[in-house]
Coordinates of all heavy atoms in Angstrom, one line a residue:
A11 N 12.1 0.4 31.2 CA 13.6 0.4 30.9 C 14.1 -1.0 31.0 O 13.6 -1.9 31.8 CB 14.2 1.3 31.9
L12 N 15.1 -1.3 30.2 CA 15.7 -2.6 30.2 C 16.7 -2.7 31.3 O 17.4 -1.7 31.7 CB 16.5 -2.8 28.9 CG 15.6 -2.9 27.6 CD1 16.5 -3.0 26.4 CD2 14.8 -4.1 27.7
P13 N 16.8 -3.8 32.0 CA 17.8 -4.0 33.0 C 19.2 -4.0 32.5 O 19.4 -4.4 31.3 CB 17.4 -5.3 33.7 CG 16.7 -6.0 32.6 CD 16.0 -5.0 31.7
F14 N 20.1 -3.5 33.2 CA 21.6 -3.5 32.8 C 22.1 -4.9 32.9 O 21.7 -5.7 33.7 CB 22.4 -2.6 33.8 CG 23.8 -2.6 33.5 CD1 24.3 -1.8 32.5 CD2 24.7 -3.4 34.2 CE1 25.6 -1.8 32.2 CE2 26.1 -3.3 33.9 CZ 26.5 -2.6 32.9
F15 N 22.9 -5.2 31.9 CA 23.5 -6.5 31.9 C 25.0 -6.3 31.5 O 25.4 -5.4 30.8 CB 22.8 -7.5 31.0 CG 22.9 -7.2 29.5 CD1 23.9 -7.7 28.7 CD2 22.0 -6.3 28.9 CE1 24.0 -7.4 27.4 CE2 22.1 -6.0 27.6 CZ 23.1 -6.5 26.8
N16 N 25.8 -7.2 32.0 CA 27.2 -7.2 31.7 C 27.5 -8.0 30.4 O 27.3 -9.2 30.3 CB 28.0 -7.8 32.9 CG 29.5 -7.8 32.7 OD1 30.0 -7.6 31.6 ND2 30.2 -7.9 33.8
E17 N 27.9 -7.3 29.4 CA 28.1 -7.9 28.1 C 29.2 -8.9 28.1 O 29.3 -9.8 27.2 CB 28.4 -6.8 27.0 CG 28.2 -7.3 25.6 CD 28.4 -6.1 24.6 OE1 27.6 -5.2 24.7 OE2 29.2 -6.2 23.7
E18 N 30.2 -8.7 29.0 CA 31.3 -9.7 29.1 C 30.9 -11.0 29.6 O 31.4 -12.0 29.2 CB 32.4 -9.1 30.0 CG 33.0 -7.8 29.4 CD 33.7 -8.0 28.1 OE1 34.4 -9.1 27.9 OE2 33.6 -7.2 27.2
V19 N 29.8 -11.0 30.4 CA 29.3 -12.3 31.0 C 28.1 -12.8 30.2 O 28.0 -14.0 29.9 CB 28.9 -12.0 32.5 CG1 28.2 -13.3 33.0 CG2 30.1 -11.6 33.3
D20 N 27.2 -11.9 29.8 CA 26.0 -12.4 29.1 C 26.1 -12.0 27.6 O 25.9 -10.8 27.3 CB 24.8 -11.7 29.7 CG 23.5 -12.1 29.2 OD1 23.5 -12.8 28.1 OD2 22.4 -11.8 29.7
R21 N 26.3 -12.9 26.8 CA 26.6 -12.7 25.3 C 25.3 -12.8 24.5 O 25.4 -12.9 23.3 CB 27.7 -13.7 24.8 CG 29.0 -13.3 25.2 CD 29.4 -12.0 24.5 NE 30.8 -11.7 24.9 CZ 31.4 -10.6 24.4 NH1 30.7 -9.8 23.7 NH2 32.6 -10.3 24.8
R22 N 24.1 -12.8 25.1 CA 22.9 -12.9 24.3 C 22.7 -11.7 23.5 O 22.2 -11.8 22.4 CB 21.7 -13.1 25.2 CG 21.6 -14.5 25.8 CD 20.4 -14.6 26.7 NE 20.6 -13.7 27.8 CZ 19.7 -13.5 28.8 NH1 18.5 -14.0 28.7 NH2 20.0 -12.7 29.8
R23 N 23.2 -10.6 23.9 CA 23.0 -9.3 23.2 C 24.4 -8.7 23.1 O 25.0 -8.2 24.0 CB 22.1 -8.4 23.9 CG 20.7 -8.9 23.9 CD 19.7 -7.8 24.4 NE 18.4 -8.4 24.5 CZ 17.7 -8.4 25.5 NH1 18.1 -7.8 26.6 NH2 16.5 -8.9 25.5
S24 N 25.0 -8.7 21.9 CA 26.3 -8.1 21.7 C 26.1 -6.9 20.7 O 25.5 -7.0 19.7 CB 27.2 -9.2 21.0 OG 28.4 -8.6 20.8
K25 N 26.7 -5.8 21.1 CA 26.6 -4.6 20.3 C 27.7 -4.6 19.3 O 28.9 -4.8 19.5 CB 26.8 -3.3 21.2 CG 25.7 -3.2 22.2 CD 26.0 -2.0 23.1 CE 25.0 -1.8 24.1 NZ 25.2 -0.7 25.0
R26 N 27.3 -4.5 18.0 CA 28.3 -4.5 16.9 C 27.6 -4.0 15.7 O 26.3 -3.9 15.6 CB 28.8 -5.9 16.6 CG 27.7 -6.9 16.1 CD 28.3 -8.2 15.7 NE 27.2 -9.1 15.2 CZ 26.7 -9.1 14.0 NH1 27.1 -8.3 13.1 NH2 25.7 -10.0 13.7
M27 N 28.4 -3.6 14.7 CA 27.8 -3.1 13.5 C 27.3 -4.3 12.7 O 27.9 -5.4 12.7 CB 28.9 -2.3 12.7 CG 29.2 -1.0 13.2 SD 30.5 -0.2 12.3 CE 29.9 -0.2 10.7
L28 N 26.3 -4.0 11.9 CA 25.9 -5.1 10.9 C 26.9 -5.2 9.8 O 27.5 -4.2 9.4 CB 24.5 -4.7 10.3 CG 23.3 -4.7 11.2 CD1 22.1 -4.2 10.5 CD2 23.1 -6.0 11.9
T29 N 27.0 -6.4 9.3 CA 27.9 -6.6 8.1 C 27.1 -6.0 6.9 O 25.9 -5.8 7.0 CB 28.2 -8.0 7.8 OG1 27.0 -8.7 7.5 CG2 28.9 -8.7 9.0
D30 N 27.8 -5.8 5.8 CA 27.0 -5.3 4.6 C 26.0 -6.2 4.2 O 24.8 -5.8 3.8 CB 28.0 -5.1 3.5 CG 29.0 -3.9 3.7 OD1 28.7 -3.1 4.5 OD2 30.0 -3.9 3.0
A31 N 26.2 -7.6 4.3 CA 25.2 -8.6 3.9 C 24.0 -8.5 4.9 O 22.9 -8.6 4.4 CB 25.8 -9.9 3.9
E32 N 24.3 -8.4 6.2 CA 23.2 -8.3 7.1 C 22.3 -7.0 6.9 O 21.1 -7.1 6.9 CB 23.7 -8.3 8.6 CG 24.3 -9.6 9.0 CD 25.1 -9.5 10.3 OE1 25.6 -8.4 10.6 OE2 25.2 -10.6 10.9
L33 N 23.0 -5.9 6.7 CA 22.2 -4.7 6.4 C 21.4 -4.8 5.1 O 20.2 -4.4 5.1 CB 23.2 -3.5 6.3 CG 22.5 -2.1 6.0 CD1 21.5 -1.8 7.1 CD2 23.6 -1.1 5.9
A34 N 22.0 -5.4 4.1 CA 21.2 -5.6 2.9 C 20.0 -6.5 3.1 O 18.9 -6.3 2.6 CB 22.1 -6.2 1.8
A35 N 20.2 -7.5 3.9 CA 19.1 -8.4 4.2 C 18.0 -7.7 5.0 O 16.8 -7.9 4.7 CB 19.6 -9.6 5.0
V36 N 18.3 -6.9 5.9 CA 17.3 -6.1 6.7 C 16.5 -5.2 5.8 O 15.3 -5.1 5.8 CB 18.0 -5.3 7.9 CG1 17.0 -4.3 8.5 CG2 18.5 -6.3 8.9
I37 N 17.2 -4.5 4.9 CA 16.6 -3.5 4.0 C 15.7 -4.3 3.0 O 14.6 -3.9 2.8 CB 17.7 -2.7 3.3 CG1 18.3 -1.7 4.3 CG2 17.1 -1.9 2.1 CD1 19.5 -1.0 3.8
A38 N 16.2 -5.4 2.5 CA 15.4 -6.2 1.5 C 14.1 -6.7 2.2 O 13.0 -6.7 1.6 CB 16.2 -7.3 1.0
A39 N 14.3 -7.2 3.5 CA 13.1 -7.7 4.2 C 12.1 -6.6 4.4 O 10.9 -6.8 4.3 CB 13.5 -8.4 5.5
A40 N 12.5 -5.4 4.7 CA 11.6 -4.3 4.9 C 10.9 -3.9 3.6 O 9.7 -3.7 3.6 CB 12.4 -3.1 5.4
E41 N 11.6 -3.9 2.5 CA 11.0 -3.6 1.2 C 10.0 -4.6 0.8 O 9.0 -4.2 0.2 CB 12.1 -3.5 0.1 CG 13.0 -2.3 0.2 CD 14.1 -2.3 -0.7 OE1 14.6 -3.4 -1.1 OE2 14.5 -1.2 -1.1
R42 N 10.1 -5.9 1.2 CA 9.2 -6.9 0.8 C 8.0 -7.0 1.7 O 7.0 -7.6 1.4 CB 9.9 -8.3 0.8 CG 10.8 -8.5 -0.3 CD 11.3 -10.0 -0.3 NE 11.7 -10.5 0.9 CZ 13.0 -10.5 1.4 NH1 13.9 -9.9 0.6 NH2 13.3 -11.0 2.5
S43 N 8.1 -6.4 2.9 CA 7.1 -6.5 3.9 C 5.8 -5.7 3.5 O 5.8 -4.5 3.3 CB 7.6 -5.9 5.2 OG 6.6 -5.9 6.2
P44 N 4.7 -6.4 3.5 CA 3.4 -5.7 3.3 C 2.8 -5.0 4.5 O 1.9 -4.2 4.4 CB 2.5 -6.8 2.8 CG 3.0 -8.0 3.6 CD 4.5 -7.8 3.7
K45 N 3.4 -5.3 5.7 CA 2.9 -4.8 6.9 C 3.4 -3.3 7.1 O 4.4 -2.9 6.7 CB 3.4 -5.6 8.1 CG 2.8 -7.0 8.1 CD 3.2 -7.8 9.3 CE 2.7 -9.2 9.3 NZ 3.1 -9.9 10.5
R46 N 2.6 -2.6 7.9 CA 2.9 -1.2 8.2 C 3.4 -1.3 9.7 O 2.8 -2.0 10.5 CB 1.7 -0.3 8.1 CG 1.3 -0.1 6.7 CD 0.2 0.9 6.5 NE 0.6 2.2 6.7 CZ 1.2 3.0 5.9 NH1 1.6 2.5 4.7 NH2 1.5 4.2 6.2
A47 N 4.4 -0.5 10.0 CA 4.9 -0.4 11.4 C 5.1 1.0 11.7 O 5.8 1.7 11.0 CB 6.2 -1.2 11.6
K48 N 4.5 1.5 12.8 CA 4.6 2.9 13.2 C 4.2 3.8 12.1 O 4.8 4.9 11.9 CB 6.0 3.2 13.7 CG 6.3 2.3 15.0 CD 7.5 2.9 15.7 CE 7.8 2.0 16.9 NZ 7.5 2.5 18.2
G49 N 3.2 3.4 11.3 CA 2.8 4.3 10.2 C 3.5 4.2 8.9 O 3.2 4.8 8.0
F50 N 4.6 3.4 8.9 CA 5.4 3.3 7.7 C 5.2 2.0 7.0 O 5.3 0.9 7.6 CB 6.9 3.5 8.0 CG 7.2 4.9 8.5 CD1 7.4 5.1 9.8 CD2 7.4 5.9 7.6 CE1 7.7 6.4 10.3 CE2 7.7 7.2 8.0 CZ 7.9 7.4 9.4
G51 N 5.1 2.0 5.7 CA 5.1 0.8 4.9 C 6.5 0.3 4.7 O 7.5 1.0 5.1
G52 N 6.6 -0.8 4.0 CA 7.9 -1.4 3.8 C 9.0 -0.6 3.1 O 10.1 -0.5 3.6
A53 N 8.6 0.1 2.0 CA 9.5 0.9 1.3 C 10.0 2.1 2.1 O 11.2 2.4 2.0 CB 8.9 1.3 0.0
A54 N 9.1 2.7 2.8 CA 9.5 3.8 3.7 C 10.4 3.4 4.8 O 11.4 4.1 5.1 CB 8.3 4.5 4.2
R55 N 10.1 2.2 5.4 CA 11.0 1.7 6.5 C 12.4 1.4 5.9 O 13.4 1.7 6.5 CB 10.4 0.5 7.1 CG 9.4 0.8 8.2 CD 9.1 -0.3 9.1 NE 9.2 -1.7 8.6 CZ 8.2 -2.3 7.8 NH1 7.1 -1.7 7.6 NH2 8.4 -3.5 7.4
A56 N 12.5 0.8 4.7 CA 13.7 0.5 4.1 C 14.6 1.8 3.9 O 15.8 1.8 4.1 CB 13.5 -0.2 2.7
M57 N 13.9 2.9 3.4 CA 14.6 4.1 3.2 C 15.1 4.7 4.6 O 16.2 5.2 4.7 CB 13.7 5.1 2.6 CG 14.4 6.5 2.2 SD 15.9 6.3 1.2 CE 15.2 5.7 -0.3
L58 N 14.3 4.6 5.6 CA 14.7 5.0 6.9 C 15.9 4.2 7.4 O 16.9 4.8 8.0 CB 13.6 4.9 7.9 CG 12.5 6.0 7.9 CD1 11.4 5.7 8.7 CD2 13.1 7.4 8.2
Y59 N 15.9 2.9 7.2 CA 17.0 2.1 7.6 C 18.3 2.5 6.9 O 19.4 2.6 7.4 CB 16.8 0.6 7.3 CG 15.6 0.0 8.1 CD1 15.0 -1.2 7.7 CD2 15.2 0.6 9.3 CE1 14.0 -1.7 8.5 CE2 14.1 0.0 10.0 CZ 13.6 -1.1 9.6 OH 12.5 -1.7 10.3
R60 N 18.2 2.8 5.6 CA 19.3 3.3 4.8 C 19.8 4.6 5.3 O 21.0 4.8 5.5 CB 18.9 3.5 3.3 CG 18.8 2.2 2.5 CD 18.6 2.5 1.0 NE 18.3 1.4 0.3 CZ 17.0 1.0 0.0 NH1 16.0 1.7 0.4 NH2 16.8 -0.2 -0.6
M61 N 18.9 5.5 5.6 CA 19.3 6.8 6.2 C 20.0 6.7 7.5 O 21.1 7.3 7.7 CB 18.1 7.8 6.3 CG 17.6 8.4 5.1 SD 18.6 9.8 4.6 CE 18.3 11.0 5.9
A62 N 19.5 5.8 8.3 CA 20.1 5.6 9.7 C 21.5 5.0 9.5 O 22.5 5.4 10.1 CB 19.2 4.7 10.5
A63 N 21.6 4.0 8.6 CA 22.9 3.3 8.5 C 23.9 4.2 7.9 O 25.1 4.1 8.3 CB 22.7 2.0 7.6
Y64 N 23.6 4.9 6.9 CA 24.6 5.7 6.2 C 24.8 7.1 6.7 O 25.9 7.7 6.4 CB 24.3 5.7 4.7 CG 24.4 4.4 4.0 CD1 23.3 3.7 3.6 CD2 25.6 3.7 3.9 CE1 23.4 2.4 3.1 CE2 25.7 2.5 3.3 CZ 24.6 1.8 2.9 OH 24.7 0.5 2.4
S65 N 23.9 7.6 7.5 CA 24.1 8.9 8.1 C 24.6 8.9 9.5 O 25.3 9.8 10.0 CB 22.8 9.7 8.0 OG 21.9 9.2 9.0
G66 N 24.3 7.8 10.2 CA 24.7 7.7 11.6 C 23.8 8.4 12.5 O 24.0 8.4 13.7
L67 N 22.7 8.9 12.0 CA 21.7 9.6 12.8 C 20.8 8.6 13.5 O 20.6 7.5 13.1 CB 20.8 10.5 11.9 CG 21.5 11.7 11.3 CD1 20.5 12.4 10.4 CD2 22.1 12.6 12.3
R68 N 20.4 9.0 14.7 CA 19.5 8.1 15.5 C 18.0 8.3 15.1 O 17.7 9.3 14.4 CB 19.7 8.4 17.0 CG 21.1 8.2 17.5 CD 21.3 8.9 18.8 NE 22.7 8.8 19.2 CZ 23.2 8.0 20.1 NH1 22.4 7.2 20.7 NH2 24.5 8.0 20.4
A69 N 17.2 7.4 15.6 CA 15.7 7.5 15.2 C 15.1 8.9 15.5 O 14.5 9.5 14.6 CB 15.0 6.4 15.9
L70 N 15.3 9.4 16.7 CA 14.8 10.7 17.0 C 15.4 11.8 16.1 O 14.6 12.7 15.6 CB 15.0 11.0 18.5 CG 14.5 12.4 18.9 CD1 13.0 12.5 18.8 CD2 14.9 12.7 20.3
E71 N 16.7 11.8 15.8 CA 17.3 12.7 15.0 C 16.7 12.7 13.6 O 16.4 13.7 12.9 CB 18.8 12.5 14.9 CG 19.5 12.8 16.3 CD 20.9 12.2 16.3 OE1 21.3 11.4 15.6 OE2 21.6 12.7 17.2
L72 N 16.5 11.5 13.1 CA 15.8 11.3 11.7 C 14.4 11.9 11.7 O 14.0 12.5 10.8 CB 15.8 9.8 11.3 CG 17.1 9.2 10.9 CD1 17.0 7.7 10.7 CD2 17.6 9.9 9.6
S73 N 13.7 11.7 12.8 CA 12.3 12.1 12.9 C 12.2 13.7 12.9 O 11.1 14.2 12.6 CB 11.6 11.5 14.1 OG 12.0 12.2 15.3
L74 N 13.3 14.3 13.3 CA 13.2 15.8 13.4 C 13.7 16.5 12.2 O 13.7 17.7 12.1 CB 14.0 16.2 14.7 CG 13.5 15.8 16.0 CD1 14.5 16.1 17.1 CD2 12.1 16.4 16.3
L75 N 14.2 15.7 11.2 CA 14.8 16.3 10.0 C 13.7 17.0 9.2 O 12.5 16.6 9.1 CB 15.4 15.3 9.1 CG 16.8 14.7 9.5 CD1 17.2 13.7 8.5 CD2 17.8 15.9 9.6
T76 N 14.1 18.1 8.5 CA 13.1 18.8 7.6 C 13.8 18.8 6.2 O 15.0 18.6 6.1 CB 12.9 20.3 8.1 OG1 14.2 21.0 8.0 CG2 12.4 20.4 9.5
P77 N 13.0 19.0 5.2 CA 13.6 19.0 3.8 C 14.7 20.0 3.7 O 15.7 19.7 2.9 CB 12.4 19.3 2.9 CG 11.2 18.9 3.7 CD 11.5 19.1 5.2
E78 N 14.6 21.1 4.4 CA 15.7 22.1 4.3 C 17.0 21.7 4.8 O 18.1 22.2 4.4 CB 15.3 23.4 5.0 CG 14.1 24.1 4.5 CD 12.7 23.4 4.8 OE1 12.7 22.8 5.9 OE2 11.8 23.5 4.0
Q79 N 17.1 20.6 5.6 CA 18.3 20.1 6.2 C 18.9 19.1 5.3 O 20.0 18.5 5.6 CB 18.0 19.5 7.5 CG 17.6 20.6 8.5 CD 17.1 20.0 9.8 OE1 16.4 19.0 9.8 NE2 17.5 20.7 10.9
L80 N 18.3 18.7 4.1 CA 18.9 17.7 3.2 C 19.4 18.5 2.0 O 18.8 19.3 1.4 CB 17.8 16.8 2.7 CG 17.0 16.0 3.8 CD1 15.9 15.2 3.2 CD2 18.0 15.1 4.6
D81 N 20.7 18.2 1.7 CA 21.3 18.8 0.4 C 21.6 17.6 -0.5 O 22.7 17.0 -0.5 CB 22.5 19.6 0.8 CG 23.1 20.2 -0.4 OD1 22.6 20.1 -1.6 OD2 24.1 21.0 -0.3
L82 N 20.6 17.2 -1.3 CA 20.7 16.0 -2.1 C 21.5 16.3 -3.4 O 21.9 15.4 -4.1 CB 19.3 15.5 -2.5 CG 18.5 15.1 -1.2 CD1 17.1 14.6 -1.7 CD2 19.2 14.1 -0.4
E83 N 21.8 17.6 -3.7 CA 22.5 18.0 -4.9 C 24.0 18.0 -4.6 O 24.9 18.0 -5.5 CB 22.1 19.4 -5.4 CG 20.6 19.5 -5.7 CD 20.2 18.5 -6.8 OE1 21.0 18.3 -7.8 OE2 19.1 17.9 -6.7
A84 N 24.4 18.0 -3.3 CA 25.9 18.0 -3.0 C 26.5 16.7 -3.4 O 25.8 15.6 -3.6 CB 26.0 18.2 -1.5
T85 N 27.8 16.7 -3.5 CA 28.6 15.4 -3.8 C 29.6 15.2 -2.7 O 30.5 15.9 -2.6 CB 29.3 15.6 -5.1 OG1 28.3 15.9 -6.1 CG2 30.0 14.3 -5.5
P86 N 29.3 14.2 -1.8 CA 28.2 13.4 -1.7 C 27.0 14.1 -1.1 O 27.2 15.2 -0.5 CB 28.6 12.2 -0.8 CG 29.6 12.9 0.1 CD 30.3 13.9 -0.8
P87 N 25.8 13.6 -1.2 CA 24.6 14.2 -0.6 C 24.9 14.4 0.9 O 25.6 13.6 1.5 CB 23.5 13.2 -0.8 CG 23.9 12.5 -2.0 CD 25.4 12.4 -2.0
C88 N 24.3 15.5 1.5 CA 24.6 15.8 2.8 C 23.3 16.1 3.7 O 22.3 16.6 3.1 CB 25.4 17.1 2.8 SG 26.1 17.7 4.3
V89 N 23.4 15.7 4.9 CA 22.3 16.0 5.9 C 22.9 16.9 7.0 O 23.9 16.6 7.5 CB 21.8 14.7 6.5 CG1 20.7 15.0 7.5 CG2 21.3 13.7 5.5
R90 N 22.2 18.0 7.2 CA 22.6 18.9 8.2 C 21.5 19.1 9.3 O 20.8 20.1 9.2 CB 23.0 20.3 7.6 CG 24.2 20.2 6.7 CD 24.6 21.6 6.2 NE 25.7 21.5 5.3 CZ 25.7 21.3 4.0 NH1 24.6 21.2 3.4 NH2 26.8 21.2 3.4
P91 N 21.5 18.2 10.3 CA 20.5 18.4 11.3 C 20.8 19.6 12.3 O 22.0 20.0 12.3 CB 20.6 17.1 12.1 CG 21.9 16.6 11.8 CD 22.3 17.1 10.5
E92 N 19.8 20.2 12.9 CA 20.0 21.3 13.9 C 20.9 20.7 15.0 O 20.6 19.6 15.5 CB 18.7 21.8 14.4 CG 17.8 22.4 13.3 CD 18.4 23.7 12.8 OE1 19.1 24.4 13.6 OE2 18.3 24.1 11.7
A93 N 21.8 21.5 15.5 CA 22.7 21.1 16.6 C 21.9 20.7 17.8 O 22.2 19.8 18.6 CB 23.7 22.2 16.9
A94 N 20.8 21.4 18.1 CA 19.9 21.2 19.3 C 19.2 19.8 19.1 O 18.8 19.3 20.2 CB 18.9 22.3 19.5
D95 N 19.1 19.3 17.9 CA 18.4 18.0 17.7 C 19.3 16.8 17.7 O 18.8 15.7 17.5 CB 17.7 18.1 16.4 CG 16.6 19.1 16.4 OD1 16.1 19.5 17.4 OD2 16.2 19.5 15.2
T96 N 20.6 17.0 17.9 CA 21.5 15.9 17.9 C 22.2 15.6 19.2 O 22.2 16.5 20.1 CB 22.6 16.1 16.8 OG1 23.4 17.2 17.2 CG2 22.0 16.3 15.4
K97 N 22.7 14.5 19.4 CA 23.4 14.1 20.6 C 24.8 14.6 20.6 O 25.5 14.6 19.6 CB 23.4 12.6 20.8 CG 23.3 12.2 22.2 CD 23.0 10.7 22.3 CE 22.8 10.4 23.7 NZ 22.6 9.1 24.0

């Protein structure tokens, strides 16, 4: 576990949303990456980053999704995770 730190005093880690440019850079870097991380290649990681950024789901919530919970034909496309799987 990480030790607690006071963000007001220690600014090394600041919680904030990524800018559009920063998110695009992260996704582009993942797409270009030839390395696999946690079993995922670069293109798959880029898609997971997109899903996380635009759905607001956390990593565990994304890992528990099933195809039946995705409605890609809806406008806009919709994700419906099980209530027991979300925070």
Side-chain angles (χ1 to χ4, degrees):
L12 294 174
F14 178 78
F15 68 93
N16 183 341
E17 194 174 306
E18 295 299 319
V19 175
D20 185 349
R21 286 291 182 181
R22 288 179 292 173
R23 295 187 182 128
S24 179
K25 296 178 184 178
R26 65 175 179 80
M27 287 179 54
L28 295 176
T29 65
D30 290 342
E32 290 168 333
L33 179 59
V36 167
I37 291 170
E41 287 175 330
R42 289 189 310 270
S43 175
K45 294 183 180 179
R46 296 184 69 77
K48 300 197 182 250
F50 293 100
R55 280 198 327 277
M57 184 56 65
L58 284 171
Y59 295 160
R60 283 186 191 96
M61 281 283 294
Y64 293 109
S65 71
L67 295 175
R68 299 164 187 257
L70 179 62
E71 295 166 337
L72 286 171
S73 74
L74 297 172
L75 285 178
T76 63
E78 297 77 29
Q79 294 170 319
L80 303 175
D81 186 357
L82 303 178
E83 301 300 320
T85 305
C88 185
V89 178
R90 292 187 179 91
E92 294 291 327
D95 296 339
T96 62
K97 214 170 185 184

